[in-house]
Amino acid sequence: MLLIHLKQAWQLLRQNKLFSGIYVFGTAIAIASTTIFAIIYYVKLAPVYPEYKRERMSVILAAEHSDETSSSQGALSYQSIKQYLSDLKNAETTSILLNTWGTSSIDFSDERDAINVILKQTDTDFFKVFNYDFIAGAPFNDIDFDSGLRKAAISDRLAEEIFGSADEAIGKTISIKFKKYDICGVFREGSAINDMSFAHVIVPFTTVKGYEGNPDPDNFLGSYSMIFLSDNLPALQAELAEVAARYNSSHNGRQLNFWNQPQAASITSLGVWPSDSDFDLSGFIRFNVMILLSLLIVPALNMSGMIAGRMDSRQSELGVRKAFGATAKSLLGQVLWENLFLTIIGGLIGLGLTWIVLSTDATFVLSILGDQWSSVNSSVTIRLTPDMMFAPAVFIFAFAVCLILNVLSAMLPAWIALRRPIVKSLK
């Protein structure tokens, strides 16, 4: 029976090329826009390379430190981290990151132009939080970090651009801010959409002159952020609140506020600043669900009108089939299968358009989606990796969209048409 329905759908597609073309094109645009919407949120919230432990990740981006005369907000100082935050019981792994704003440049001694790169200055635990896939070599180790040796792990794209291959890069040197770094490893580059982990070059922050900053541990603000792995985020947040309470009680006139940090990485990935107490996650979800529904309902209504007109032109055919014993259920199934066939064709074309757009440059798409992506470095072309775009969850979602669009657009006009008496249908 299914094969018969598909053959009938193919014949109708060939006989009604204009209707079929408009239907397929409308479906493709609807599914492409919806799938792009879903992929962007998928890669920001789901466990993807190298942020496979995202559901256990949380961060401290900044804090507020005030006294009787002033109040300041900013990242943490190295000394305050070592004094107050280095031994948190509810943190399985803690990585410290020296914030680097904008891009750094790799300089060459020959006539080649400098290359702008995203530089991460961090510790060895950074590679425990993020699961980078090393194609050649290995990340810098604890000895390199403690000794302040100028070791660098670079991405495979950068290695190919400078040295031709990952293997050729191992043992070579690069110059960053006029300092020579020995390349110890080459890792598979991720996507710049995940700016917490994205980097072209990763080096120990102990190679930075004056990385320890002000030796006063009570000078709480500086240039460092922290990333945690924890199985109990509420307990870790409570532990940070206790640290702040002890600090405030022992420093008359000084107040420390962590704003209920560490903040879950899923919230941070949406561009939410820790001090944004007005952020409503449920409202954010409702808003995006409404956008998703509008992407489905509007084209479904348009296609439903087209199908209603098409059903009017097929009244004689339906009346004859009813007269020979066809049930309303079987006729409704035929109509749904016919439209599902067209919807699947449009869906495949829509998926193709999605992958073409996102594999070329996702920066433009992100700018359309709004301010929540403002944390993404604007100087980097954002590309999505194949495992992000071809994830099983995305395929399942796209297929579900096809089914919903088919039911929304075909069910009501087909049911109305099939309820007409046989006599009226044969006129």
Side-chain angles (χ1 to χ4, degrees), residues 26 33 37 73 95 119 122 135 160 202 239 261 271 273 283 297 310 342 348 354 356 379 389 396 411-412:
S33 57
F37 184 89
Q73 298 180 7
S95 178
L119 174 68
T122 185
I135 300 171
E160 291 171 4
I202 306 174
E239 192 173 357
Q261 291 184 95
W273 190 248
I297 291 176
R310 184 184 178 193
L342 295 177
L348 294 175
T354 299
I356 290 172
S379 61
M389 294 192 293
I396 294 172
M411 178 68 76
L412 184 59

Side-chain angles (χ1 to χ4, degrees), residues 252-275:
N252 293 331
R254 290 187 179 184
Q255 292 292 309
L256 176 63
N257 185 6
F258 284 117
W259 301 305
N260 200 36
Q261 291 184 95
Q263 181 174 263
S266 58
I267 301 297
T268 303
S269 68
L270 298 176
V272 179
W273 190 248
S275 61

